[in-house]
Amino acid sequence: MSKKLINTITIIFAVVIGFCAGFIYLNYITIPDTDELIKGEVFYSYYDGEIVEKMPISTNAGDVSVHFLELGNKFTGDCTYIKVGENIDILIDCGSRSNSIKTVSNYLNNYVTDNTLEYVIVTHAHRDHYAGFATSPKIDSIFDLYECEVIIDFGEQTNQTSNTYNNYIRERTDEINNGAKHFSAINCWNNVGDAKRQFILDEANDISLNILYNKYYEIDDKNENNYSVCTLLSQGEKHFLFTGDLDDETSLIESNDLPQVEVYKAGHHGSGTSSSEDLLAQIQPKIVCVCCCAGSSEYTSNPDNQFPTQAFINRVSIYTKKIYVTTLCIDYDENEYTSMNGNIVVMSTTESIGVNCSNNNTILKDSEWFIANRTLPDGAIE
């Protein structure tokens, strides 16, 4: 039961309200079985595409699973859940609208067994990334549904003055008042107080969460996307890169010693303005996961520029064919959408890594949508 609801019960006729709230909660939150969300147990090797072994989601010490979530509507948005071992739960963003909260919380409740998110990262102040944290007082946000220990976000670097932004500040403040620690990305980079550039998640197995430098933590820009908090999850020699919607990637490349990565969450939903040639040459990703509604006209009527864009395909496909996309738009105007790969889960143990998706494991270039709407460039990995 949410913290907002608990506070209401203590004020207004506890017995009556408690009974009603309990009834509403049980009917609102119906947690599906894990099998409904993660169909099958077989993971595929990204090295050769062949089945290597049955690998259910593991929570053993040293293991990491990264989940790129569908959001239950036609809108493009980001939400990435990370499980480290048995006890560490991380959430990076929660778009795209407030009605995504039920979809996300139903999923999280299969893995977050103690109702606590150790780390919440809110990359920037666009609702497709933070709507789940920025609800009105009458709607339970992710902050209300879970105890959050550490919140890392864009701090004061925003151009927003909207009701959504004000809702976020209120919800974040309430969570801080309930015991959460809040750090801006620049304070993390500068190791100010308890803020850290590197958070050790599992010292014995060399797993850490690293806040990368982005010059827009410190300077103003008209493009809200450039304020995005950028992070690198490291599991020994395996690395996972998350750049939010960052468009100008110059300082990210120049100011950080970026390694080659196993997994890259496609910048800005697979837009033509992110995932630059310079960044890709540095990180050389083996697996790329795109959080978007493929072919949606939400932002543009130009088919080439709809996520994931042809320009993105041209750049990334020379490094890997292992590209996965969460959702597929059927008809934006008619509110018709379906799963593409669905919830994309990368399971990385101390010995191996693989991908499994809730709908299918078809890589992007082999999908019907791609064949009808995109082409592979010369030099693409077949």
Side-chain angles (χ1 to χ4, degrees):
M1 189 174 292
S2 73
K3 286 170 279 186
K4 278 181 182 172
L5 195 52
I6 291 173
N7 290 336
T8 302
I9 292 169
T10 60
I11 297 172
I12 307 172
F13 303 110
V15 174
V16 175
I17 298 299
F19 175 82
C20 295
F23 179 82
I24 292 170
Y25 182 80
L26 290 173
N27 283 274
Y28 178 75
I29 302 291
T30 301
I31 302 173
D33 293 334
T34 302
D35 288 345
E36 294 181 23
L37 299 166
I38 305 299
K39 298 176 183 177
E41 296 181 320
V42 178
F43 282 74
Y44 292 84
S45 163
Y46 64 71
Y47 297 110
D48 54 19
E50 296 181 358
I51 297 173
V52 288
E53 62 177 324
K54 285 189 175 182
M55 286 176 54
I57 303 299
S58 172
T59 56
N60 294 329
D63 292 346
V64 171
S65 60
V66 183
H67 309 236
F68 301 90
L69 303 188
E70 292 201 284
L71 297 172
N73 55 42
K74 68 178 181 179
F75 304 108
T76 288
D78 263 26
C79 185
T80 303
Y81 166 66
I82 302 169
K83 184 80 174 183
V84 177
E86 184 178 2
N87 298 317
I88 303 295
D89 299 288
I90 302 168
L91 191 65
I92 303 178
D93 287 337
C94 185
S96 57
R97 301 292 191 274
S98 61
N99 66 8
S100 298
I101 294 171
K102 180 180 178 181
T103 302
V104 172
S105 62
N106 281 355
Y107 190 96
L108 294 181
N109 288 342
N110 289 284
Y111 303 101
V112 184
T113 57
D114 59 359
N115 203 52
T116 300
L117 298 171
E118 277 70 26
Y119 297 90
V120 168
I121 299 171
V122 184
T123 60
H124 65 294
H126 275 159
R127 67 177 176 175
D128 62 323
H129 287 253
Y130 80 153
F133 304 103
T135 59
S136 71
K138 295 182 179 180
I139 299 175
D140 289 333
S141 72
I142 291 294
F143 287 142
D144 294 310
L145 295 176
Y146 300 93
E147 298 291 338
C148 302
E149 293 188 351
V150 174
I151 302 167
I152 301 169
D153 66 10
F154 47 88
E156 297 181 359
Q157 291 302 97
T158 179
N159 304 313
Q160 298 297 313
T161 59
S162 65
N163 287 336
T164 304
Y165 176 70
N166 292 331
N167 284 339
Y168 173 71
I169 296 300
R170 186 197 62 254
E171 292 292 304
R172 186 187 69 185
T173 299
D174 287 347
E175 193 68 10
I176 294 168
N177 290 338
N178 283 319
K181 294 181 179 180
H182 169 240
F183 308 129
S184 66
I186 190 58
N187 283 343
C188 286
W189 178 257
N190 290 327
N191 292 306
V192 175
D194 291 334
K196 298 177 182 178
R197 187 179 299 184
Q198 181 179 72
F199 294 88
I200 303 300
L201 307 179
D202 181 342
E203 185 172 8
N205 291 288
D206 193 21
I207 303 175
S208 63
L209 178 67
N210 304 277
I211 308 302
L212 303 176
Y213 183 74
N214 167 16
K215 69 181 181 181
Y216 295 104
Y217 298 161
E218 300 186 273
I219 63 174
D220 293 336
D221 193 68
K222 294 180 180 180
N223 183 353
E224 192 79 24
N225 293 323
N226 283 332
Y227 295 134
S228 291
V229 180
C230 301
T231 56
L232 184 77
L233 179 73
S234 295
Q235 179 195 28
E237 296 301 313
K238 300 175 189 173
H239 305 281
F240 309 76
L241 180 62
F242 311 90
T243 63
D245 281 357
L246 181 68
D247 282 331
D248 181 0
E249 297 162 339
T250 305
S251 72
L252 180 68
I253 300 165
E254 295 176 349
S255 302
N256 303 278
D257 185 15
L258 295 176
Q260 295 182 14
V261 303
E262 305 296 318
V263 178
Y264 169 52
K265 188 201 74 68
H268 200 177
H269 318 285
S271 75
T273 56
S274 296
S275 304
S276 65
E277 291 179 358
D278 289 343
L279 177 63
L280 292 170
Q282 183 71 29
I283 64 173
Q284 299 184 29
K286 297 183 178 71
I287 299 172
V288 176
C289 301
V290 188
C291 297
C292 75
C293 197
S296 168
S297 59
E298 179 180 3
Y299 297 116
T300 177
S301 59
N302 182 345
D304 282 349
N305 292 333
Q306 292 168 358
F307 302 145
T309 64
Q310 183 63 57
F312 165 79
I313 298 299
N314 291 344
R315 293 194 292 267
V316 77
S317 59
I318 65 173
Y319 292 97
T320 182
K321 64 181 179 180
K322 298 297 182 179
I323 305 170
Y324 301 88
V325 177
T326 52
T327 310
L328 174 65
C329 182
I330 304 300
D331 189 318
Y332 183 81
D333 293 332
E334 296 298 324
N335 196 31
E336 295 180 10
Y337 62 93
T338 189
S339 296
M340 197 158 184
N341 290 118
N343 297 309
I344 305 164
V345 182
V346 180
M347 183 68 233
S348 181
T349 71
T350 55
E351 298 177 350
S352 59
I353 187 168
V355 179
N356 198 30
C357 307
S358 61
N359 189 46
N360 61 65
N361 292 312
T362 303
I363 57 178
L364 180 60
K365 76 178 185 67
D366 294 335
S367 69
E368 292 182 4
W369 179 83
F370 185 95
I371 293 169
N373 296 280
R374 296 289 182 263
T375 58
L376 284 176
D378 293 339
I381 294 178
E382 296 283 352

